[in-house]
């Protein structure tokens, strides 16, 4: 499967292996979920939840125990699930573990305790890599990446106390300890950060810079325009299909090659950021790659054709 960000997660998984985080023969692990969808989570195919998973379980073996799976490249990569198959027309299966794009094929990726595994069949004309998604929240904050948990920080810009309180409360409700950190101070490579700021405040930060350069750079099918006063929503081809104005917000996650994902809770103004923060719940984010919001609507992005 394509994707230039996979080396990052491969490194994290290797580090977890060195630490003995569930690899090799052993007693197994627990509380693993596996979800299968298509069209960026718009259509459900199936889901399973295993309270106990055998030792040395791989993503592929878990998938094959519950679905009919066709493979390619020597059995290491998924070609079809329950008859839903990729095609030569840039339409393929991708999968994410705890909201992070997988670094390797499913047969080479081990399962860790609490993992949320998500396979999605989608169009990749606009980009062949979506490094992080929000649809597995409260992951990766709760169980981490590759079996390794990371400290969590909330970076709050000025004038957004209400939105920041909502984000902190959402993490607390999910059992995730977090620390407040000064906005713009940077979180480092070993910290999962949630940045809460209007687009004008956050512009220039690493995650925002990736989003500004479109899906090919960030994997996020939305972008801000008119100096942050408008939020443009994109379809799977990367074309603008809708524009939101005042009161629009966005929850998205992205990463560059040198860091773990950063989550952005942002918007055109304080009202938009607050609306986005209110949507930071497992039910609102479930199976969405990113989520745009207004004071009255929640819109998964990319925007499905015909929506």
């Amino acid at each position: 499967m394509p994707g230039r960000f996979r080396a990052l997660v491969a490194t994290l998984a290797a580090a977890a292996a060195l630490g003995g985080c569930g690899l090799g023969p052993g007693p197994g692990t627990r509380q693993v979920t596996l979800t299968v969808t298509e069209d960026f989570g718009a259509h459900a195919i199936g889901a399973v939840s295993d309270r106990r998973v055998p030792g040395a379980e791989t993503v592929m073996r878990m998938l094959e125990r519950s679905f009919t799976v066709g493979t390619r490249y020597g059995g290491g990569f998924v070609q079809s699930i329950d008859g839903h198959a990729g095609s030569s027309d840039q339409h393929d299966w991708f999968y994410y573990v705890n909201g992070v794009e997988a670094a390797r094929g499913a047969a080479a990726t081990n399962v860790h305790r609490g993992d949320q595994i998500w396979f999605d069949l989608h169009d990749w004309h606009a980009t062949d890599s979506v490094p992080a998604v929000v649809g597995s929240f409260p992951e990766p904050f709760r169980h981490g990446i590759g079996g390794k948990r990371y400290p969590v920080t909330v970076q709050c810009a000025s004038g957004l106390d209400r939105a920041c309180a909502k984000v902190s409360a959402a993490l607390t409700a999910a059992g995730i300890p977090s620390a407040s950190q000064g906005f713009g101070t940077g979180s480092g490579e070993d910290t999962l950060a949630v940045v809460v700021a209007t687009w004008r405040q956050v512009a220039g930060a690493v995650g925002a810079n990736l989003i500004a350069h479109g899906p090919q750079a960030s994997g996020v099918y939305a972008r801000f325009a008119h100096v942050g006063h408008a939020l443009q929503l994109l379809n799977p081809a990367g074309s603008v299909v809708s524009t939101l104005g005042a009161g629009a917000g966005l929850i998205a996650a992205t990463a560059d090659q040198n860091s773990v994902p950063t989550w952005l809770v942002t918007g055109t103004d304080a009202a938009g950021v607050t609306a986005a923060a209110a949507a930071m719940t497992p039910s609102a984010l479930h199976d969405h790659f990113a989520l745009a919001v207004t004071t009255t609507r929640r819109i998964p992005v990319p925007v499905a054709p015909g929506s």
Side-chain angles (χ1 to χ4, degrees):
M1 293 170 63
R4 63 186 180 281
F5 290 96
R6 296 171 188 262
L8 165 65
V9 189
T11 301
L12 296 173
L18 291 174
C21 296
L23 303 186
T29 189
R30 301 184 180 197
Q31 304 298 340
V32 178
T33 64
L34 191 156
T35 301
V36 182
T37 64
E38 58 183 332
D39 297 332
F40 299 92
H43 302 102
I45 293 175
V48 295
S49 179
D50 285 357
R51 298 190 64 181
R52 185 175 295 276
V53 177
E57 181 80 321
T58 65
V59 170
M60 183 68 83
R61 283 199 292 267
M62 184 174 177
L63 181 68
E64 290 177 331
R65 283 193 288 109
S66 299
F67 299 89
T68 301
V69 181
T71 62
R72 55 181 173 174
Y73 302 124
F77 292 83
V78 172
Q79 170 64 25
S80 65
I81 301 176
D82 281 1
H84 300 261
S87 70
S88 58
D89 188 29
Q90 294 180 298
H91 196 75
D92 281 302
W93 284 103
F94 296 80
Y95 80 99
Y96 309 85
V97 182
N98 293 345
V100 179
E101 187 175 51
R104 298 175 292 180
T109 299
N110 288 77
V111 175
H112 300 86
R113 181 175 182 175
D115 278 351
Q116 291 195 31
I117 302 161
W118 178 13
F119 279 83
D120 186 74
L121 177 65
H122 63 248
D123 181 305
W124 54 275
H125 278 85
T127 180
D128 65 3
S129 178
V130 176
V133 297
V134 302
S136 294
F137 182 76
E139 304 301 346
F141 305 105
R142 178 181 283 170
H143 291 100
I145 303 167
K148 177 182 177 181
R149 293 186 64 180
Y150 290 81
V152 178
T153 63
V154 178
Q155 299 182 20
C156 187
S158 62
L160 296 170
D161 291 349
R162 184 180 173 200
C164 289
K166 288 179 179 294
V167 169
S168 295
L171 293 169
T172 299
I176 301 160
S178 63
S180 297
Q181 184 172 331
F183 176 70
T185 58
S187 58
E189 297 178 8
D190 295 322
T191 300
L192 288 167
V194 183
V195 178
V196 185
T198 67
W199 186 255
R200 290 183 296 284
Q201 290 171 318
V202 80
V206 172
N209 191 48
L210 292 171
I211 291 174
H213 284 83
Q216 184 63 36
S218 66
V220 177
Y221 288 76
R223 64 188 182 211
F224 287 84
H226 306 302
V227 200
H229 291 285
L231 174 59
Q232 297 177 332
L233 310 184
L234 313 181
N235 64 15
S239 300
V240 177
V241 294
S242 179
T243 300
L244 307 177
L250 175 71
I251 305 178
T254 189
D256 63 17
Q257 294 177 326
N258 301 311
S259 64
V260 295
T262 294
W263 280 46
L264 294 175
V265 179
T266 186
T268 56
D269 50 29
V273 178
T274 301
M280 193 167 165
T281 67
S283 59
L285 296 177
H286 183 66
D287 288 356
H288 298 325
F289 275 47
L291 185 69
V293 302
T294 68
T295 54
T296 59
R297 301 171 61 200
R298 293 175 177 172
I299 309 164
V301 288
V303 178
S307 297

